[in-house]
Amino acid sequence: MAFQKDNTFVTGRFKSVGFALKGAIKLITTEHSVMVQTSLGVILTITGFVIGITPTEWLFQTFAIGLVLSIEGLNTAIEKVADFIHPDYHERIGFIKDIAAGSVFFAAITAIIIGLIIYVPHFI
């Protein structure tokens, strides 16, 4: 079955959103790291409502959660492509995968710092 591109603006956008939603669901339901990060995002969102964080804090928290999930999604895609291209261990593929994982590390550290800035004052 060949993929046929939909060139109409409206139906093409709906299809694109459908593909994106399908990918997000696959990430959340198949990747353990994304499951953990999504769970933490939900917990922090509930905590934000309970504590009553400010609109500015909501902006930073939402950005941090989205950043981590987005970078983790890209990391997962890079790992899947690398494994498809070279299923056995290869030093250069390992290097590429390590760099992709490093980007998740930077996003996670950023999110942790944002979380500490938002929540520590509420508990002190």
Side-chain angles (χ1 to χ4, degrees), residues 106-122:
F106 287 133
I109 292 299
T110 302
I112 290 168
I113 292 168
I114 290 170
L116 290 172
I117 291 169
I118 291 171
Y119 288 103
V120 167
H122 291 282

Side-chain angles (χ1 to χ4, degrees), residues 28-95:
I28 293 170
T29 58
T30 63
E31 298 300 317
H32 290 102
S33 58
V34 177
M35 290 176 196
V36 169
Q37 293 158 352
T38 302
S39 299
L40 289 171
V42 169
I43 291 167
L44 285 171
T45 300
I46 292 168
T47 304
F49 281 115
V50 171
I51 290 177
I53 62 177
T54 68
T56 303
E57 291 169 333
W58 275 115
L59 288 172
F60 281 104
Q61 177 171 295
T62 302
F63 176 78
I65 293 168
L67 175 71
V68 171
L69 291 174
S70 297
I71 299 297
E72 184 63 58
L74 291 172
N75 176 53
T76 299
I78 289 168
E79 287 182 352
K80 299 290 184 192
V81 169
D83 290 344
F84 179 76
I85 291 170
H86 207 294
D88 298 325
Y89 177 78
H90 189 278
E91 186 176 332
R92 287 195 282 179
I93 293 290
F95 180 78

